[in-house]
Amino acid sequence: MAQDSIFTVPVTPEEINETQIVEGQMARHLGIEMTAVGADFMTARMPVDHRTIQRIGILHGGASLALAETVGSIAASYCVDRDKQFIVGQEINANHLRAVPAGEGVAVHATATPLHLGRASQVWDIRIRDDQGRLVCVSRFTAAVLEKRG
């Protein structure tokens, strides 16, 4: 990362996909993968397929929230001293703005950017867009910053 990065250590999408999105956990089950890391954002992709749709064949709102919390949590965890601190989700909300029908190769893309990076909490804005760049969901995620105990 560049010196002006909000992240406390250098990080790449590949490193996150290998160490943070692991077998047996929700993000991997839903097909979420990190696709980009910038100086002040992270972006993840999730397919719109049999794992992430509701009964009428469109993206499930809960899957959107899982994507938002995944990218927000991972981003937040790289903004603290990972040897001394960790983050936990405290609150998430979302407005679903556009339906996304399932289809071969169809995906949504969530970008998390910080609104507040405080000592005890962080607030993240997560925008989910479809493959055409249209806004699908707007979410706000709050994380508590906690101290690791010896």
Side-chain angles (χ1 to χ4, degrees), residues 10 16 21 28 33 35-36 41 51 54 56 81 83 96-98 106-109 117 124 126 132 135 138:
I16 292 168
I21 300 176
R28 175 69 64 87
E33 62 181 351
T35 58
F41 73 90
R51 297 169 291 184
Q54 57 171 281
I56 61 172
D81 181 340
D83 292 329
H96 306 292
L97 307 173
R98 173 184 298 277
V106 174
V108 287
H109 311 268
L117 297 175
W124 289 81
I126 297 121
Q132 291 74 44
L135 196 58
V138 176

Side-chain angles (χ1 to χ4, degrees), residues 66-88:
L67 173 61
E69 185 153 353
T70 297
V71 70
S73 291
I74 291 172
S77 76
Y78 281 94
C79 291
V80 299
D81 181 340
R82 293 168 65 91
D83 292 329
K84 297 178 182 173
Q85 300 169 308
F86 65 101
I87 66 96
V88 293

Side-chain angles (χ1 to χ4, degrees), residues 88-141:
V88 293
Q90 205 169 27
E91 193 272 341
I92 189 165
N93 67 54
N95 294 97
H96 306 292
L97 307 173
R98 173 184 298 277
V100 181
E104 185 67 33
V106 174
V108 287
H109 311 268
T111 299
T113 56
L115 297 173
H116 169 72
L117 297 175
R119 182 187 53 76
S121 69
Q122 299 179 17
V123 179
W124 289 81
D125 177 68
I126 297 121
R127 302 289 168 127
I128 301 176
R129 297 182 182 277
D130 64 14
D131 287 325
Q132 291 74 44
R134 298 175 297 196
L135 196 58
V136 170
C137 178
V138 176
S139 180
R140 187 177 62 224
F141 171 68

Side-chain angles (χ1 to χ4, degrees), residues 48-49 53 57 101-107:
V48 181
D49 64 13
I53 60 171
E104 185 67 33
V106 174

